Amino acid sequence: MLDTASRTAYSDDHEAFRGTVRKVFAEHMTPYLDRHEEEGIVGREAWKALGEAGMLCPTVAEENGGLGLDFGFNCVVTEELAYLGSSAGFTLQNDITANYFERLGTDEQRAKYLPGMVSGDVITAIAMTEPGAGSDLQGIRTTATLEGDHWVVNGSKTYITNGQNADCVIVVAKTDPSQGAKGTSLILVDAGTPGFERGRNLDKIGQHSADTSELFFQDCRVPRDNLLGQEGRGFIHLMEELPQERLSIAVGAQAGAQRAFDETVAFVKDRKAFGRTVIEFQNTKFVLADLKAKLQVGWAHLDWAITRHLQGKLTTDEASAAKLWHTELQWECCDTGLQLHGGAGYMNEYPIARLWRDARVQRIYGGTSEIMKEVVGRAI
């Protein structure tokens, strides 16, 4: 269990909410973690349970069916989910897509999607990455051509979180390929629309419980009103959301790092080698001391970043630095923790194995560590 006694980013209301989150996860997530991993997806019953508890899209305004809470409540859900060791796609909906709908959507779009996103009846995804375009979103090739009162979408996307579950996908497409990034727009495509097909649920190294899919669009016609935000400003809309998206990843990374550390401490205190517990070896103590110091710094920095974001001051380069630092720390804690488990760490029956597998992609999605360094470097 995360120790939150010394946290500075949260109020008593946040911590009371954390108690609810833990109870809901204990009932609706913890008993089914292995099943979620085996099936490669988290069923809608879990989404509904979270929705009923107010754990989906907490920041959505009351007039749109939400609770109108601050982003700190999202962070509580993200921390507890990461510490639990689940890769369910709740945080994508909470921290990323909900904001797109609420900030950019028309009254009709908000009324159509947001109440269901809050209740768990509507699951969303955002389709940015393509087989030939990852961190460089300016290289996307999917197009949306206006024909009368419809957009005709053609192209493919890959590595899309919630791809199998999604009822609505925000598709990043070129509406004017001649304009480069300035010709990019966001188009809403509902499940069941002719020409929209889901590919396979991708076979990943880790994060097996997150349904991650290929999506295909072939002459997929959607109403002209399915434009989200302004035509030609899709790239700008994406950039405006980056601080919160990257902070969200940093939040989960720090909690995941702590879980890996805690699992490792428990293991080395129990496992014996050469007549004494592994924790008694000086190397073990020094390695863990180094990680503990970094975790201490990490929690302090994370609270700073969350508070700064709540104040509306967190910049893109600050969020990128946070994403870089915390995901690298998560990997260090997971990889070092697995090493201290010895052969047991390579066995899937030990939680450290899942934590290690799931952590690897954190340094890739949302912008690779290398891209984060580029973003931070440009701001210097």
Side-chain angles (χ1 to χ4, degrees):
M1 181 178 294
L2 283 171
D3 179 9
T4 61
S6 61
R7 301 295 298 278
T8 60
Y10 299 126
S11 67
D12 291 342
D13 289 340
H14 291 115
E15 293 305 333
F17 180 68
R18 190 185 298 275
T20 299
V21 172
R22 287 175 174 172
K23 289 178 182 178
V24 172
F25 280 167
E27 180 178 355
H28 297 283
M29 291 294 292
T30 304
Y32 308 107
L33 287 177
D34 289 340
R35 190 180 84 183
H36 294 161
E37 290 281 300
E38 293 166 4
E39 296 179 351
I41 197 167
V42 175
R44 287 180 174 267
E45 65 279 0
W47 285 83
K48 287 286 290 178
L50 265 68
E52 291 173 5
M55 292 166 54
L56 291 179
C57 312
T59 58
V60 168
E62 292 182 33
E63 59 264 30
N64 294 321
L67 297 174
L69 302 173
D70 65 53
F71 186 72
F73 290 86
N74 292 41
C75 294
V76 169
V77 176
T78 301
E79 287 177 2
E80 293 298 327
L81 186 69
Y83 193 82
L84 180 67
S86 171
S87 54
F90 307 133
T91 54
L92 175 79
Q93 182 143 309
N94 284 3
D95 301 350
I96 301 174
T97 60
N99 219 33
Y100 279 97
F101 281 99
E102 190 157 48
R103 189 172 63 85
L104 303 174
T106 62
D107 290 342
E108 292 76 13
Q109 289 169 345
R110 287 194 289 266
K112 179 178 179 180
Y113 296 106
L114 284 171
M117 291 171 66
V118 171
S119 68
D121 291 302
V122 174
I123 299 173
T124 57
I126 183 164
M128 302 185 199
T129 305
E130 297 181 1
S135 294
D136 180 14
L137 294 175
Q138 296 184 64
I140 65 169
R141 300 178 66 182
T142 297
T143 60
T145 305
L146 193 58
E147 293 185 4
D149 291 331
H150 289 80
W151 294 103
V152 181
V153 183
N154 282 284
S156 63
K157 300 290 183 177
T158 193
Y159 313 144
I160 307 305
T161 301
N162 291 344
Q164 295 293 313
N165 263 332
D167 299 294
C168 178
V169 181
I170 302 171
V171 180
V172 182
K174 288 287 182 64
T175 48
D176 186 352
S178 68
Q179 294 298 310
K182 294 181 180 179
T184 304
S185 303
L186 308 180
I187 308 293
L188 301 178
V189 179
D190 292 327
T193 302
F196 168 36
E197 300 290 340
R198 307 175 204 267
R200 59 199 171 97
N201 195 354
L202 296 170
D203 183 14
K204 308 184 296 294
I205 290 174
Q207 298 206 349
H208 294 155
S209 60
D211 57 306
T212 308
S213 309
E214 300 169 314
L215 304 178
F216 302 99
F217 308 90
Q218 184 172 359
D219 294 328
C220 178
R221 299 177 67 88
V222 300
R224 186 172 188 166
D225 291 342
N226 279 32
L227 175 71
L228 183 64
Q230 298 180 43
E231 183 178 348
R233 292 182 63 84
F235 190 75
I236 293 173
H237 293 327
L238 294 170
M239 295 303 103
E240 290 168 342
E241 294 299 325
L242 282 179
Q244 182 162 299
E245 177 183 351
R246 289 174 177 166
L247 174 60
S248 172
I249 295 172
V251 170
Q254 179 69 23
Q258 187 68 57
R259 174 68 190 278
F261 177 82
D262 293 347
E263 286 292 329
T264 303
V265 170
F267 182 86
V268 298
K269 284 184 176 180
D270 181 68
R271 179 59 63 95
K272 290 186 177 181
F274 302 103
R276 51 180 172 164
T277 59
V278 176
I279 189 67
E280 294 179 73
F281 290 96
Q282 186 184 64
N283 179 73
T284 305
K285 285 183 286 191
F286 279 14
V287 167
L288 290 175
D290 183 55
L291 293 182
K292 184 175 181 180
K294 291 176 180 177
L295 284 163
Q296 180 177 314
V297 172
W299 285 116
H301 174 262
L302 189 67
D303 280 349
W304 170 86
I306 292 171
T307 300
R308 191 162 170 78
H309 185 57
L310 291 175
Q311 295 170 343
K313 298 179 180 179
L314 189 70
T315 64
T316 297
D317 59 287
E318 289 170 347
S320 299
K323 197 261 183 191
L324 170 66
W325 199 89
H326 290 279
T327 58
E328 293 289 343
L329 175 62
Q330 180 184 18
W331 179 249
E332 183 180 4
C333 286
C334 290
D335 196 54
T336 302
L338 191 150
Q339 183 71 22
L340 288 177
H341 274 70
Y346 209 63
M347 300 297 109
N348 284 327
E349 65 188 272
Y350 287 88
I352 192 66
R354 180 186 299 172
L355 295 167
W356 182 83
R357 292 195 311 269
D358 289 356
R360 187 58 187 86
V361 76
Q362 292 272 80
R363 298 154 65 208
I364 297 173
Y365 61 20
T368 64
S369 288
E370 292 73 24
I371 293 295
M372 296 304 95
K373 291 176 183 178
E374 181 71 19
V375 172
V376 175
R378 289 175 183 173
I380 296 174

